[in-house]
Amino acid sequence: MTKSRNEIPRATVTRLAFYLRELQQMHRAELANVRSQSIAEKLGLKDSQVRKDLSCLGTVGQRGVGYRVDELIQNIQHVLGTDRAWNVILVGVGNLGRALTGYKGFGEQGFRLVGAFDSDPKKIGHKVGGLVIQDLGSLASFASVQAIDLAILAVPATAAQSVLSVIEEANISGVLNFAPVAVRPSQAGRTIVQEVDLAIELQRLAFSVVR
Amino acid sequence: MTKSRNEIPRATVTRLAFYLRELQQMHRAELANVRSQSIAEKLGLKDSQVRKDLSCLGTVGQRGVGYRVDELIQNIQHVLGTDRAWNVILVGVGNLGRALTGYKGFGEQGFRLVGAFDSDPKKIGHKVGGLVIQDLGSLASFASVQAIDLAILAVPATAAQSVLSVIEEANISGVLNFAPVAVRPSQAGRTIVQEVDLAIELQRLAFSVVR
């Protein structure tokens, strides 16, 4: 049965995004159908897990044939909200920010990088990933003409909270925070912040290894 | 009650790593004690959640005083396995790999970058983050003299699976895979792979925003 977005657990959302990545690869390889088992094998999951997750989409596989690849792709994108394009800006053009502008995966999943901002006068006016780096001070006016959905925050830890305020004032709905510090929106519910900490990813890996 | 590592759920491990980051910051600010509530507020979690997670460590807060910051740091690091240094290599010195060598958070959590490898002859011999880039072909001999615990895989998707085999043969226990493709170790249990896909992080954020 189809579940509403509110009923889908975060862990399922993450797995759905991984299934999508596999399915898109299969689609490029012109595969029309796929069994849950082959998705499960690729990702090191149990077949039952994959079938349970896909049932959230209201998609049922056909006995002996499996699922239609294009239909699954559409359904997962619909649930994730990536069946439309998202306008994204980068805030903070350090080494990591610079690398992120060249990250092909964003574009492939419908995320369009439309602006890059920094507060360092030496960087402003220079280009990164085809975009002219703009002054952080002009973020609000830029956002008033361009519809911006999400911001990637890649500034130093010390600047993160104050830069978040600038992003909030520009009415941007979501922030992916790469700064190694927890930032909190001033008004709950206005801007959603998701933390990505690459050191924490290594710690999680270390935990799996010692276990 | 203290739980064994096998009993601690992945989501708890992730939160513990985020608590650790906050606690280390408090420690630098010379705070001796902390209440679960103030950790909860910083991270936008419920107090009961933080207390439940910390109880996995066998650490109990004192009424009116809270937890000792240094003790919590030690206990979390012990559970995560980061109470010792980990030797890490980078495999794939593209834009992302290059940015990762400059990522301060790794060192702060006890991860030492001890080698960088690439297969591009134009890169070999050049320096990145203080390390001389070595030929991928010399990974095995390097690993036989240096104890390497983990590898960060930042190669293109098309190369990821074959490079993983090289890493496996060098008896490296864990791989953090930034390549946007699922890779599977040839022998189950020998090398643990953890996927990090930055586009998937944006998709998870998009899901939260549309919800």
Side-chain angles (χ1 to χ4, degrees):
Chain A
M1 228 186 66
T2 316
K3 286 197 178 179
S4 84
R5 283 199 179 99
N6 282 314
E7 295 171 305
I8 303 179
R10 295 288 295 170
T12 306
V13 171
T14 307
R15 283 192 301 271
L16 286 175
F18 277 105
Y19 301 163
L20 177 60
R21 198 176 70 176
E22 295 302 322
L23 290 161
Q24 287 168 326
Q25 213 170 21
M26 291 170 185
H27 188 67
R28 282 193 292 270
E30 297 183 2
L31 233 75
N33 298 290
V34 64
R35 289 160 200 254
S36 54
Q37 239 169 325
S38 68
I39 300 175
E41 275 166 24
K42 289 226 178 216
L43 294 166
L45 297 169
K46 281 188 189 155
D47 183 30
S48 56
Q49 177 75 75
V50 175
R51 268 186 284 124
K52 191 182 160 201
D53 290 339
L54 294 182
S55 73
C56 290
L57 309 170
T59 320
V60 185
Q62 235 189 300
R63 184 181 288 274
V65 180
Y67 299 83
R68 281 197 48 184
V69 172
D70 54 0
E71 198 183 304
L72 269 191
I73 290 176
Q74 273 173 28
N75 290 352
I76 296 178
Q77 285 181 328
H78 179 71
V79 166
L80 295 177
T82 55
D83 49 355
R84 65 166 181 94
W86 290 71
N87 286 342
V88 183
I89 57 164
L90 169 71
V91 185
V93 191
N95 286 328
L96 184 62
R98 207 172 284 276
L100 293 175
T101 63
Y103 195 73
K104 286 177 211 139
F106 293 150
E108 283 165 12
Q109 299 304 338
F111 299 102
R112 280 194 301 227
L113 203 66
V114 296
F117 295 84
D118 205 289
S119 60
D120 182 353
K122 277 182 270 166
K123 288 180 187 166
I124 296 160
H126 289 268
K127 274 200 162 184
V128 65
L131 296 166
V132 176
I133 302 171
Q134 299 176 69
D135 185 352
L136 187 59
S138 56
L139 199 161
S141 62
F142 182 80
S144 67
V145 277
Q146 277 262 12
I148 302 172
D149 303 296
L150 307 175
I152 295 174
L153 187 56
V155 300
T158 47
Q161 185 65 52
S162 69
V163 174
L164 178 65
S165 312
V166 179
I167 293 171
E168 276 188 273
E169 277 157 33
N171 285 310
I172 294 171
S173 320
V175 173
L176 196 61
N177 178 31
F178 281 93
V181 64
V183 292
R184 299 294 310 277
S186 59
Q187 262 178 276
R190 196 166 149 207
T191 300
I192 291 171
V193 177
Q194 187 180 307
E195 311 274 346
V196 184
D197 187 308
L198 303 176
I200 285 179
E201 297 298 331
L202 266 184
Q203 286 166 287
R204 294 174 63 206
L205 175 62
F207 175 83
S208 304
V209 168
V210 287
R211 182 157 69 168
Chain B
M1 228 186 63
T2 317
K3 286 198 177 179
S4 83
R5 283 201 180 98
N6 281 315
E7 292 170 307
I8 303 179
R10 294 289 294 171
T12 306
V13 171
T14 307
R15 283 192 302 270
L16 286 174
F18 277 105
Y19 302 162
L20 178 61
R21 199 176 68 176
E22 295 303 322
L23 291 161
Q24 287 169 326
Q25 214 169 21
M26 292 169 184
H27 189 67
R28 282 193 293 269
E30 296 184 2
L31 233 76
N33 296 291
V34 63
R35 288 161 201 255
S36 54
Q37 240 169 323
S38 67
I39 301 177
E41 274 165 25
K42 289 226 179 217
L43 294 168
L45 296 169
K46 283 186 188 156
D47 182 31
S48 56
Q49 176 77 74
V50 175
R51 268 187 283 124
K52 191 182 160 201
D53 290 340
L54 295 181
S55 74
C56 290
L57 309 170
T59 319
V60 184
Q62 235 188 301
R63 185 180 289 274
V65 181
Y67 300 83
R68 282 196 48 183
V69 172
D70 55 358
E71 198 183 304
L72 269 192
I73 290 176
Q74 274 174 27
N75 289 353
I76 296 178
Q77 286 181 328
H78 179 70
V79 166
L80 295 177
T82 55
D83 50 354
R84 64 165 181 96
W86 290 71
N87 287 341
V88 182
I89 55 163
L90 169 71
V91 185
V93 191
N95 286 326
L96 184 63
R98 207 172 283 276
L100 294 175
T101 62
Y103 194 74
K104 287 177 208 138
F106 293 150
E108 283 165 11
Q109 300 303 341
F111 299 102
R112 281 194 301 228
L113 203 65
V114 296
F117 295 84
D118 204 290
S119 59
D120 182 353
K122 276 181 275 175
K123 290 180 185 166
I124 295 160
H126 289 268
K127 272 198 164 185
V128 66
L131 296 167
V132 175
I133 302 170
Q134 300 177 68
D135 185 352
L136 187 60
S138 55
L139 201 162
S141 64
F142 182 80
S144 68
V145 277
Q146 278 262 9
I148 302 171
D149 303 296
L150 308 175
I152 295 174
L153 187 56
V155 299
T158 46
Q161 185 64 52
S162 69
V163 174
L164 178 65
S165 311
V166 179
I167 293 171
E168 278 188 271
E169 276 156 34
N171 284 311
I172 294 170
S173 319
V175 173
L176 196 61
N177 177 31
F178 281 92
V181 64
V183 292
R184 300 293 311 278
S186 59
Q187 262 178 276
R190 195 165 150 205
T191 300
I192 291 171
V193 177
Q194 187 180 307
E195 311 274 346
V196 183
D197 187 308
L198 303 176
I200 284 177
E201 298 297 332
L202 266 184
Q203 286 167 286
R204 293 174 62 206
L205 175 61
F207 175 82
S208 304
V209 168
V210 288
R211 182 159 68 170

